[in-house]
Amino acid sequence: MTEKDFVPSAYTHQKTTGKVGYRSPSNIALVKYWGKKENQIPANPSISFTLDACATTTFVTYDKLSKTSPDFSFDLFFEGQPKPDFRPKIETFFKRIEQYLPFLKEYHFKIETSNSFPHSSGIASSASGMSALALCLMQLEKELNPNMSGEFLTKKASFLARLGSGSACRSLEGDLVQWGVHENTKESSDLYGVKYPHEVHTVFKKYQDTILLVDKGEKQVSSTIGHDLMHGHPFAEQRFSQAHDNLSKLKKVFKEGDLDTFIKIVESEALTLHAMMMTSHPYFILMKPNTLEIINRIWAFRERSKTHVSFTLDAGANVHVLYPENEKEEVLQFIVDELIAFCQNQQYICDQIGFGARFLPQES
Ligand code: DP6
């Protein structure tokens, strides 16, 4: 599919007012997206586990305006309160998607959104937030064009979510989603995420992710700036080709349930992401001393317990501790005994692999 396939033809129905809602989860990348081209096209393919507990719930109430507005007309509430800081991000998002949703200036929107995870936990809410909003807008488009298939709705919502925040296009479905063209996956696309179409061993079902909140402060460097620093980065080309290789290797790993190789790839991806930040100009470090302490303790525990606990990192100091469900009891005990002391206010979130966004039916 190309961008043109997402430009709608004339709508068959009209809708003056209504309300739609979605709950959409966050996701954690195993092969990282870091570096992009124009129009939110990723520099390399990535793959993620969709999460379950960490999610954004968004309701959009829409009212048709008497005439098309020159600007986007919307009110924004985060956890019940007006949220002016979020407005520019939504404005930019609306501008980017307007050509694909030509009705945007014909309505006033009331956007009400909330997160299941604590505010300013350092957990990126852009993936869950942008995917939830894209789905709400697609639900309205479906009301204007009821013939639209569910499959197309999800694909276009992923396409739109990507224009809001790249990683958001991987949050709509579960449990593994790939985004970006890769030679082994013929259905893969730079424009939207696809459910991982290859065989996945049962050991990866219900995979656990305990998120250790090491530093809840504002990020010193936004992802957008970080991605930008991959332009002209001395190791960019090697990094992009490494991501392709890692995705190729993961195909066999997922099929065979080879946890040892899984761990090597996933931890190397996390450290490479941070290595890219440390070797860009300007360079920066998002890990904190406690991030390193946790990583070292995970390695020591894995060695002595012979479990398959591993870690990955986002663009921040928090640590995602990954492990198979059948090792949950032992690993959780280790986390409580040894790791939460390194979290801010001992905070952590127990999550696991999830199955994507959920429509929230409204009474009409
Ligand atoms: C490190 O999706 O937040 O989490 O497209 O600029 O919104 P934008 O970036 P974003 O980048 C996420 C980067 C990452 C890795 C990943 O999720 O693949």
Side-chain angles (χ1 to χ4, degrees), residues 27-34 36 40 46-48 89 96 124 126-127 162 164-168 170 179 219 222-225 227 273 277 313-316:
N27 67 73
I28 180 68
L30 304 170
V31 172
K32 308 289 182 183
Y33 148 57
W34 198 244
K36 60 179 159 183
Q40 297 282 103
S46 59
I47 189 165
S48 51
K89 219 172 170 186
R96 287 184 189 162
S126 62
R162 183 197 101 244
S165 177
S167 56
R170 297 187 312 235
W179 166 44
K219 277 199 229 168
S222 74
S223 299
T224 309
I225 294 172
H227 286 292
L273 167 71
M277 301 172 190
L313 306 168
D314 258 338

Tab-separated table of all heavy atoms in Angstrom, residues 27-34 36 40 46-48 89 96 124 126-127 162 164-168 170 179 219 222-225 227 273 277 313-316, ligand 1:
chain	number	residue	atom	x	y	z
A	27	ASN	N	4.116	0.062	24.115
A	27	ASN	CA	4.849	-1.111	23.624
A	27	ASN	C	6.322	-0.943	23.969
A	27	ASN	O	6.783	0.172	24.221
A	27	ASN	CB	4.638	-1.319	22.114
A	27	ASN	CG	5.259	-0.230	21.263
A	27	ASN	OD1	6.476	-0.147	21.106
A	27	ASN	ND2	4.418	0.666	20.714
A	28	ILE	N	7.045	-2.052	23.990
A	28	ILE	CA	8.481	-1.967	24.266
A	28	ILE	C	9.247	-2.634	23.123
A	28	ILE	O	9.013	-3.804	22.808
A	28	ILE	CB	8.838	-2.568	25.652
A	28	ILE	CG1	10.344	-2.462	25.907
A	28	ILE	CG2	8.352	-4.020	25.834
A	28	ILE	CD1	10.857	-1.060	26.090
A	29	ALA	N	10.118	-1.843	22.512
A	29	ALA	CA	10.854	-2.347	21.340
A	29	ALA	C	11.937	-3.342	21.746
A	29	ALA	O	12.623	-3.152	22.755
A	29	ALA	CB	11.472	-1.177	20.588
A	30	LEU	N	12.064	-4.385	20.944
A	30	LEU	CA	13.134	-5.377	21.118
A	30	LEU	C	14.270	-5.021	20.154
A	30	LEU	O	15.429	-5.002	20.522
A	30	LEU	CB	12.587	-6.783	20.840
A	30	LEU	CG	11.367	-7.161	21.708
A	30	LEU	CD1	10.745	-8.454	21.208
A	30	LEU	CD2	11.751	-7.272	23.177
A	31	VAL	N	13.905	-4.745	18.903
A	31	VAL	CA	14.840	-4.121	17.947
A	31	VAL	C	14.366	-2.673	17.837
A	31	VAL	O	13.194	-2.411	17.553
A	31	VAL	CB	14.819	-4.824	16.573
A	31	VAL	CG1	15.630	-4.040	15.544
A	31	VAL	CG2	15.358	-6.244	16.705
A	32	LYS	N	15.260	-1.753	18.103
A	32	LYS	CA	14.873	-0.351	18.315
A	32	LYS	C	14.782	0.463	17.029
A	32	LYS	O	15.615	0.297	16.119
A	32	LYS	CB	15.889	0.341	19.230
A	32	LYS	CG	16.178	-0.371	20.535
A	32	LYS	CD	15.023	-0.317	21.507
A	32	LYS	CE	15.353	-1.001	22.816
A	32	LYS	NZ	14.213	-1.007	23.745
A	33	TYR	N	13.807	1.351	17.040
A	33	TYR	CA	13.679	2.403	16.014
A	33	TYR	C	14.451	3.608	16.538
A	33	TYR	O	14.102	4.153	17.581
A	33	TYR	CB	12.180	2.677	15.847
A	33	TYR	CG	11.739	4.079	15.492
A	33	TYR	CD1	12.208	4.728	14.345
A	33	TYR	CD2	10.797	4.747	16.287
A	33	TYR	CE1	11.745	6.014	14.025
A	33	TYR	CE2	10.330	6.017	15.962
A	33	TYR	CZ	10.810	6.645	14.839
A	33	TYR	OH	10.360	7.903	14.520
A	34	TRP	N	15.498	3.970	15.862
A	34	TRP	CA	16.285	5.147	16.287
A	34	TRP	C	16.903	5.754	15.049
A	34	TRP	O	17.878	5.239	14.515
A	34	TRP	CB	17.349	4.746	17.326
A	34	TRP	CG	17.885	5.910	18.109
A	34	TRP	CD1	19.166	6.374	18.094
A	34	TRP	CD2	17.152	6.740	19.009
A	34	TRP	NE1	19.267	7.457	18.945
A	34	TRP	CE2	18.054	7.706	19.511
A	34	TRP	CE3	15.820	6.783	19.446
A	34	TRP	CZ2	17.674	8.687	20.428
A	34	TRP	CZ3	15.433	7.764	20.354
A	34	TRP	CH2	16.350	8.696	20.829
A	36	LYS	N	15.246	8.479	11.710
A	36	LYS	CA	14.132	8.486	10.754
A	36	LYS	C	14.404	9.431	9.602
A	36	LYS	O	15.232	10.342	9.698
A	36	LYS	CB	12.834	8.845	11.455
A	36	LYS	CG	12.801	10.204	12.127
A	36	LYS	CD	11.436	10.463	12.766
A	36	LYS	CE	11.500	11.522	13.828
A	36	LYS	NZ	10.261	11.769	14.521
A	40	GLN	N	8.266	10.781	8.924
A	40	GLN	CA	8.192	9.693	9.900
A	40	GLN	C	8.446	8.319	9.286
A	40	GLN	O	7.795	7.345	9.648
A	40	GLN	CB	6.810	9.709	10.571
A	40	GLN	CG	6.508	10.951	11.372
A	40	GLN	CD	7.204	10.907	12.718
A	40	GLN	OE1	8.224	11.559	12.920
A	40	GLN	NE2	6.688	10.129	13.637
A	46	SER	N	11.854	-2.166	12.991
A	46	SER	CA	11.881	-2.431	14.434
A	46	SER	C	10.777	-3.428	14.774
A	46	SER	O	9.874	-3.677	13.966
A	46	SER	CB	11.666	-1.125	15.209
A	46	SER	OG	10.426	-0.537	14.856
A	47	ILE	N	10.887	-3.994	15.974
A	47	ILE	CA	9.852	-4.934	16.428
A	47	ILE	C	9.649	-4.742	17.923
A	47	ILE	O	10.605	-4.432	18.645
A	47	ILE	CB	10.235	-6.391	16.080
A	47	ILE	CG1	9.066	-7.336	16.341
A	47	ILE	CG2	11.479	-6.860	16.832
A	47	ILE	CD1	9.219	-8.703	15.711
A	48	SER	N	8.390	-4.889	18.361
A	48	SER	CA	8.118	-4.668	19.788
A	48	SER	C	7.116	-5.655	20.334
A	48	SER	O	6.303	-6.220	19.596
A	48	SER	CB	7.603	-3.243	20.001
A	48	SER	OG	6.535	-2.971	19.134
A	89	LYS	N	1.527	19.380	20.291
A	89	LYS	CA	1.748	18.038	19.732
A	89	LYS	C	0.521	17.573	18.927
A	89	LYS	O	0.645	16.970	17.859
A	89	LYS	CB	2.052	17.055	20.869
A	89	LYS	CG	3.117	16.120	20.420
A	89	LYS	CD	3.722	15.182	21.376
A	89	LYS	CE	4.545	14.248	20.481
A	89	LYS	NZ	5.166	13.157	21.054
A	96	ARG	N	-0.347	16.960	10.163
A	96	ARG	CA	0.252	15.869	9.382
A	96	ARG	C	-0.798	14.916	8.809
A	96	ARG	O	-0.565	14.290	7.784
A	96	ARG	CB	1.209	15.062	10.258
A	96	ARG	CG	2.501	15.785	10.575
A	96	ARG	CD	3.402	14.844	11.351
A	96	ARG	NE	4.574	15.517	11.875
A	96	ARG	CZ	5.334	15.018	12.853
A	96	ARG	NH1	5.026	13.869	13.405
A	96	ARG	NH2	6.389	15.667	13.271
A	124	ALA	N	7.076	6.666	28.354
A	124	ALA	CA	6.622	7.462	27.210
A	124	ALA	C	5.153	7.170	26.972
A	124	ALA	O	4.752	6.013	26.869
A	124	ALA	CB	7.442	7.091	25.989
A	126	SER	N	3.605	8.645	24.415
A	126	SER	CA	3.267	9.029	23.043
A	126	SER	C	2.758	7.824	22.243
A	126	SER	O	1.854	7.972	21.425
A	126	SER	CB	4.441	9.693	22.344
A	126	SER	OG	5.522	8.815	22.255
A	127	ALA	N	3.291	6.624	22.507
A	127	ALA	CA	2.851	5.461	21.728
A	127	ALA	C	1.393	5.127	22.037
A	127	ALA	O	0.564	5.006	21.132
A	127	ALA	CB	3.738	4.258	22.017
A	162	ARG	N	1.555	6.589	13.350
A	162	ARG	CA	2.964	6.761	13.006
A	162	ARG	C	3.294	8.230	12.751
A	162	ARG	O	4.370	8.720	13.109
A	162	ARG	CB	3.296	5.949	11.746
A	162	ARG	CG	4.749	5.997	11.360
A	162	ARG	CD	4.983	5.543	9.936
A	162	ARG	NE	5.161	6.657	9.048
A	162	ARG	CZ	4.360	6.989	8.038
A	162	ARG	NH1	3.294	6.268	7.748
A	162	ARG	NH2	4.598	8.049	7.298
A	164	GLY	N	1.959	10.659	14.166
A	164	GLY	CA	1.982	11.343	15.468
A	164	GLY	C	3.267	11.025	16.218
A	164	GLY	O	3.949	11.912	16.723
A	165	SER	N	3.602	9.756	16.272
A	165	SER	CA	4.839	9.311	16.926
A	165	SER	C	5.165	7.936	16.348
A	165	SER	O	4.306	7.043	16.361
A	165	SER	CB	4.611	9.214	18.430
A	165	SER	OG	5.772	8.729	19.062
A	166	GLY	N	6.376	7.788	15.838
A	166	GLY	CA	6.724	6.565	15.109
A	166	GLY	C	6.346	5.290	15.842
A	166	GLY	O	5.620	4.429	15.320
A	167	SER	N	6.801	5.159	17.084
A	167	SER	CA	6.588	3.907	17.808
A	167	SER	C	5.102	3.641	18.067
A	167	SER	O	4.717	2.510	18.352
A	167	SER	CB	7.366	3.917	19.125
A	167	SER	OG	6.993	5.031	19.889
A	168	ALA	N	4.259	4.670	17.965
A	168	ALA	CA	2.817	4.492	18.209
A	168	ALA	C	2.176	3.540	17.199
A	168	ALA	O	1.177	2.878	17.505
A	168	ALA	CB	2.108	5.851	18.158
A	170	ARG	N	3.092	0.792	16.419
A	170	ARG	CA	3.252	-0.599	16.853
A	170	ARG	C	2.335	-0.945	18.035
A	170	ARG	O	2.487	-2.021	18.612
A	170	ARG	CB	4.720	-0.857	17.252
A	170	ARG	CG	5.746	-0.701	16.128
A	170	ARG	CD	7.121	-1.165	16.620
A	170	ARG	NE	7.385	-0.560	17.911
A	170	ARG	CZ	8.449	0.172	18.219
A	170	ARG	NH1	9.410	0.368	17.333
A	170	ARG	NH2	8.584	0.692	19.414
A	179	TRP	N	7.502	-2.999	12.414
A	179	TRP	CA	7.287	-1.793	11.604
A	179	TRP	C	8.563	-1.516	10.820
A	179	TRP	O	9.643	-1.483	11.408
A	179	TRP	CB	6.936	-0.608	12.517
A	179	TRP	CG	7.022	0.732	11.858
A	179	TRP	CD1	6.564	1.073	10.617
A	179	TRP	CD2	7.600	1.928	12.412
A	179	TRP	NE1	6.818	2.403	10.367
A	179	TRP	CE2	7.448	2.951	11.445
A	179	TRP	CE3	8.225	2.231	13.620
A	179	TRP	CZ2	7.904	4.246	11.652
A	179	TRP	CZ3	8.679	3.529	13.839
A	179	TRP	CH2	8.518	4.524	12.860
A	219	LYS	N	12.680	14.017	30.450
A	219	LYS	CA	13.843	13.594	29.649
A	219	LYS	C	14.675	14.813	29.287
A	219	LYS	O	14.142	15.834	28.895
A	219	LYS	CB	13.335	12.973	28.344
A	219	LYS	CG	12.948	11.537	28.493
A	219	LYS	CD	12.921	10.932	27.092
A	219	LYS	CE	11.658	10.160	26.855
A	219	LYS	NZ	11.474	9.806	25.454
A	222	SER	N	14.629	14.938	23.929
A	222	SER	CA	13.421	14.280	23.421
A	222	SER	C	13.809	13.250	22.358
A	222	SER	O	14.890	13.344	21.747
A	222	SER	CB	12.482	15.312	22.807
A	222	SER	OG	13.008	15.733	21.578
A	223	SER	N	12.914	12.271	22.129
A	223	SER	CA	13.187	11.266	21.095
A	223	SER	C	13.392	11.942	19.744
A	223	SER	O	14.253	11.539	18.958
A	223	SER	CB	12.025	10.293	20.942
A	223	SER	OG	11.802	9.622	22.116
A	224	THR	N	12.587	12.983	19.491
A	224	THR	CA	12.665	13.652	18.186
A	224	THR	C	14.082	14.175	17.940
A	224	THR	O	14.651	13.984	16.854
A	224	THR	CB	11.645	14.807	18.135
A	224	THR	OG1	10.396	14.249	18.527
A	224	THR	CG2	11.537	15.428	16.778
A	225	ILE	N	14.664	14.797	18.965
A	225	ILE	CA	16.034	15.307	18.801
A	225	ILE	C	17.003	14.129	18.658
A	225	ILE	O	17.900	14.132	17.822
A	225	ILE	CB	16.411	16.218	19.994
A	225	ILE	CG1	15.538	17.470	19.949
A	225	ILE	CG2	17.897	16.577	19.974
A	225	ILE	CD1	15.661	18.363	21.147
A	227	HIS	N	16.443	11.138	17.413
A	227	HIS	CA	16.348	10.573	16.056
A	227	HIS	C	17.148	11.430	15.068
A	227	HIS	O	17.835	10.916	14.199
A	227	HIS	CB	14.884	10.536	15.586
A	227	HIS	CG	14.062	9.478	16.243
A	227	HIS	ND1	14.258	8.146	16.022
A	227	HIS	CD2	13.016	9.553	17.104
A	227	HIS	CE1	13.382	7.441	16.722
A	227	HIS	NE2	12.622	8.277	17.392
A	273	LEU	N	21.344	1.266	21.392
A	273	LEU	CA	20.538	2.500	21.371
A	273	LEU	C	21.239	3.590	22.202
A	273	LEU	O	21.422	4.726	21.747
A	273	LEU	CB	19.139	2.191	21.939
A	273	LEU	CG	18.248	3.373	22.280
A	273	LEU	CD1	17.774	4.069	21.011
A	273	LEU	CD2	17.031	2.919	23.096
A	277	MET	N	23.431	7.284	21.374
A	277	MET	CA	23.264	8.597	22.021
A	277	MET	C	24.614	9.107	22.537
A	277	MET	O	24.919	10.288	22.458
A	277	MET	CB	22.314	8.478	23.212
A	277	MET	CG	20.944	7.973	22.840
A	277	MET	SD	19.999	7.661	24.344
A	277	MET	CE	18.581	6.802	23.640
A	313	LEU	N	15.963	-1.206	27.408
A	313	LEU	CA	15.845	0.191	27.828
A	313	LEU	C	15.094	0.973	26.769
A	313	LEU	O	15.178	0.653	25.584
A	313	LEU	CB	17.246	0.814	27.970
A	313	LEU	CG	18.247	0.097	28.876
A	313	LEU	CD1	19.648	0.663	28.658
A	313	LEU	CD2	17.850	0.243	30.346
A	314	ASP	N	14.410	1.998	27.208
A	314	ASP	CA	13.830	2.992	26.308
A	314	ASP	C	14.823	4.135	26.182
A	314	ASP	O	15.905	4.045	26.708
A	314	ASP	CB	12.578	3.563	26.992
A	314	ASP	CG	11.326	2.969	26.433
A	314	ASP	OD1	11.376	2.473	25.311
A	314	ASP	OD2	10.304	3.042	27.128
A	315	ALA	N	14.370	5.238	25.609
A	315	ALA	CA	15.231	6.411	25.585
A	315	ALA	C	15.100	7.121	26.935
A	315	ALA	O	14.531	8.208	27.044
A	315	ALA	CB	14.829	7.324	24.445
A	316	GLY	N	15.603	6.472	27.991
A	316	GLY	CA	15.511	7.026	29.332
A	316	GLY	C	16.260	6.134	30.301
A	316	GLY	O	16.945	5.195	29.882
B	1	DP6	C1	13.873	4.567	21.887
B	1	DP6	O1	8.389	6.914	18.628
B	1	DP6	O2	9.046	8.340	20.602
B	1	DP6	O3	11.551	4.150	22.181
B	1	DP6	O4	8.677	9.207	16.082
B	1	DP6	O5	9.909	11.097	17.155
B	1	DP6	O6	7.741	10.298	18.155
B	1	DP6	P1	8.998	9.929	17.371
B	1	DP6	O7	9.841	8.952	18.293
B	1	DP6	P2	9.395	7.792	19.260
B	1	DP6	O8	10.792	7.000	19.383
B	1	DP6	C2	10.886	5.844	20.134
B	1	DP6	C3	12.281	5.431	20.258
B	1	DP6	C4	12.550	4.279	21.201
B	1	DP6	C5	12.722	2.974	20.434
B	1	DP6	C6	11.470	2.301	19.914
B	1	DP6	O9	10.404	2.433	20.542
B	1	DP6	O10	11.597	1.613	18.900
